[in-house]
Amino acid sequence: MVEQAIVLTQHGRWFSVTRLWSGFLSHKWFILAATALLGFGVWQGARVLLGPAIVVDQVKLGRLVETVVASGHVETPYRVEIGSQITGTVEDVLVQQGEKVTKGQPLISLESRELRATMVQAQGAVAQAEARIKQLEELTLPSAREALTQAQATLLNAQQTFDRTAQLERNGYATRAALDDAQKTLDVARAAMRSAQFQVYTASPGGSDYVMAQTQANQARANLDTAESRLGYATIMAPRDGVLISRSVERGTVVQPGKALLVLAPAGDVQLVLQIDERNLGKISLGQKALASADAYPDRRFPATITYINPGVDISRASVEVKLTVADPPDYLRQDMTVSVDVEVAARDNALTLPLRSVHDVLSGHPWVLGIKDGRASQRPVRIGLRGNNQVEIIDGLAAGDVAIPQSSGVLTGQRVRPVLQ
């Protein structure tokens, strides 16, 4: 009975302590909740009285580079369209699109049996004409000279006979008929002499027969050159070193002059072709430097120089075509590859700079910023100078250390704010 009373007494005490502890805990949580509500009220009150905390941008001194950014593509200064100079059937295509070729390398072969036969005929005509000249030099001319020598001897003999007969006729020892016969023989000898002289002349260089034979030989050689050239046209070769960027021919195709079969991008300088907004036309000039990167390799940048500005404006796109030369092109550049280019048009040290995100109506001609005056957002007009990719130069309206509220903050003019620097 005593133990049970003690237990009960102990249980009774325990029950009392537990109730006291539970009451204490309930009171503590009440105090914490009240404190939290009080803090929240103070915070809301400060927010109402002082405004929300806003991250602001600060005007700073620094170097500012203004660039014109544009995109374009890679191409060579010119491209060579390769076609056939004759009509024929393609026997074989010896290269593939994208292949590098060297000057004189065969690219396409055409069926050439008829052309080879024509060349053989032309070779025969040349050989025949040259044989005719050789015949004149080795046979006709020597024979004519021998005939001339004989005609000269005959004429001399006829002249002597005529002279003797004439002397005898004057002395009365010969008849007039004998003199007439001697005269006729002399006339025949003279005619034979002139004929032999003409034969020698015509067979000699500069004579009509020789000139005619030489002309025929020249014509035959010209025909042979034509036949050889046409046979050469049956093999289409690379006009210079480069890369084949287009192919539109296959075996069995009937090709004709004037149709491009392959397009060659010659090796050498590479240029970038851009379309720049016409509003930036006054900022660019020949010789300006730029940094470019291929979209496929954005982390690899290479230098380029403006070498051409189109004098006309594309009215449909309100843009100007600009070309930049890449003096040392990277080996990964490919024809028609897309590139992005930053053209440096101006730079200034110790410029007052402000992030572009805090400037309103940049392109309107009347830019302004939302500054802070007496704890409230205040609109302030500014005058800007250079414009970089993310920064803008403040020429007038703000000083170093002044702050501006970014446009994305949603703060309205006159609203109370608490500035927070990044």
Side-chain angles (χ1 to χ4, degrees):
M1 293 295 292
V2 176
E3 291 180 0
Q4 186 176 3
I6 293 173
V7 170
L8 288 174
T9 302
Q10 289 177 347
H11 279 284
R13 289 178 180 176
W14 174 253
F15 176 75
S16 299
V17 171
T18 302
R19 289 186 60 186
L20 289 173
W21 180 249
S22 298
F24 175 75
L25 289 178
S26 298
H27 182 67
K28 182 179 180 181
W29 282 112
F30 174 77
I31 295 174
L32 291 176
T35 303
L37 290 174
L38 180 61
F40 179 76
V42 172
W43 177 73
Q44 287 293 336
R47 181 178 176 84
V48 172
L49 294 176
L50 302 179
I54 299 296
V55 176
V56 295
D57 294 322
Q58 190 175 32
V59 179
K60 299 179 180 179
L61 284 174
R63 176 177 173 80
L64 182 63
V65 177
E66 181 173 359
T67 61
V68 172
V69 181
S71 61
H73 64 277
V74 178
E75 69 176 40
T76 55
Y78 62 93
R79 299 181 180 187
V80 179
E81 293 185 345
I82 302 173
S84 175
Q85 294 179 271
I86 59 175
T87 300
T89 303
V90 176
E91 188 174 70
D92 195 9
V93 182
L94 308 174
V95 291
Q96 299 294 329
Q97 183 174 341
E99 183 175 339
K100 290 185 178 181
V101 298
T102 57
K103 182 178 180 180
Q105 178 179 337
L107 307 177
I108 301 172
S109 63
L110 305 180
E111 200 283 323
S112 59
R113 287 178 295 178
E114 183 179 349
L115 298 175
R116 293 182 186 278
T118 302
M119 189 182 71
V120 171
Q121 291 178 349
Q123 289 173 336
V126 169
Q128 185 176 0
E130 290 177 345
R132 173 59 179 160
I133 294 176
K134 192 172 183 180
Q135 182 182 28
L136 286 174
E137 293 174 344
E138 296 180 356
L139 178 60
T140 304
L141 182 58
S143 298
R145 286 171 177 169
E146 290 293 332
L148 176 60
T149 300
Q150 185 177 357
Q152 288 173 340
T154 301
L155 177 60
L156 180 60
N157 185 45
Q159 184 67 49
Q160 291 174 349
T161 300
F162 175 78
D163 291 342
R164 286 194 302 270
T165 303
Q167 183 65 33
L168 290 174
E169 193 272 335
R170 285 194 297 273
N171 294 333
Y173 296 107
T175 63
R176 182 66 185 177
L179 182 60
D180 291 341
D181 290 340
Q183 182 66 51
K184 291 178 181 179
T185 302
L186 179 59
D187 291 340
V188 171
R190 286 174 176 169
M193 175 69 176
R194 287 194 296 271
S195 177
Q197 288 176 332
F198 181 74
Q199 291 295 328
V200 171
Y201 172 74
T202 57
S204 300
S208 59
D209 287 350
Y210 193 90
V211 171
M212 185 177 295
Q214 197 170 42
T215 300
Q216 291 175 346
N218 291 337
Q219 290 177 344
R221 293 190 187 100
N223 291 336
L224 177 59
D225 289 342
T226 301
E228 289 177 342
S229 296
R230 291 182 65 82
L231 180 60
Y233 295 155
T235 302
I236 302 175
M237 299 184 179
R240 58 179 301 169
D241 298 348
V243 178
L244 295 173
I245 60 175
S246 176
R247 166 183 164 175
S248 58
V249 62
E250 298 296 337
R251 293 180 183 178
T253 303
V254 177
V255 297
Q256 296 178 341
K259 180 182 178 182
L261 307 177
L262 302 169
V263 178
L264 176 70
D269 289 341
V270 171
Q271 66 182 13
L272 311 179
V273 181
L274 313 176
Q275 294 293 332
I276 291 182
D277 194 308
E278 65 175 321
R279 291 176 296 184
N280 294 321
L281 182 58
K283 299 179 181 180
I284 61 175
S285 61
L286 296 178
Q288 281 180 329
K289 304 300 182 182
L291 283 177
S293 62
D295 287 2
Y297 303 91
D299 56 335
R300 302 185 188 180
R301 310 192 78 186
F302 53 91
T305 305
I306 295 179
T307 54
Y308 171 81
I309 301 175
N310 195 312
V313 176
D314 187 340
I315 191 171
S316 63
R317 294 188 289 184
S319 62
V320 180
E321 183 182 66
V322 176
K323 296 182 180 180
L324 298 88
T325 298
V326 182
D328 187 17
D331 55 4
Y332 59 80
L333 285 186
R334 299 290 184 269
Q335 289 297 306
D336 299 319
M337 180 178 282
T338 302
V339 294
S340 298
V341 180
D342 292 346
V343 182
E344 182 177 325
V345 296
R348 185 169 292 121
D349 293 322
N350 296 321
L352 288 175
T353 63
L354 181 67
L356 189 60
R357 65 179 184 173
S358 291
V359 183
H360 299 252
D361 299 336
V362 175
L363 302 178
S364 67
H366 300 285
W368 56 277
V369 300
L370 201 59
I372 299 176
K373 182 178 181 181
D374 299 331
R376 295 181 181 272
S378 174
Q379 184 173 326
R380 300 178 62 176
V382 294
R383 191 157 58 94
I384 63 176
L386 301 185
R387 280 179 285 175
N389 293 336
N390 301 311
Q391 301 282 328
V392 63
E393 180 188 16
I394 302 299
I395 296 179
D396 190 21
L398 294 175
D402 288 346
V403 297
I405 301 172
Q407 299 182 52
S408 59
S409 65
V411 175
L412 302 177
T413 302
Q415 181 179 341
R416 285 189 173 277
V417 292
R418 289 180 294 117
V420 177
L421 294 176
Q422 285 186 330

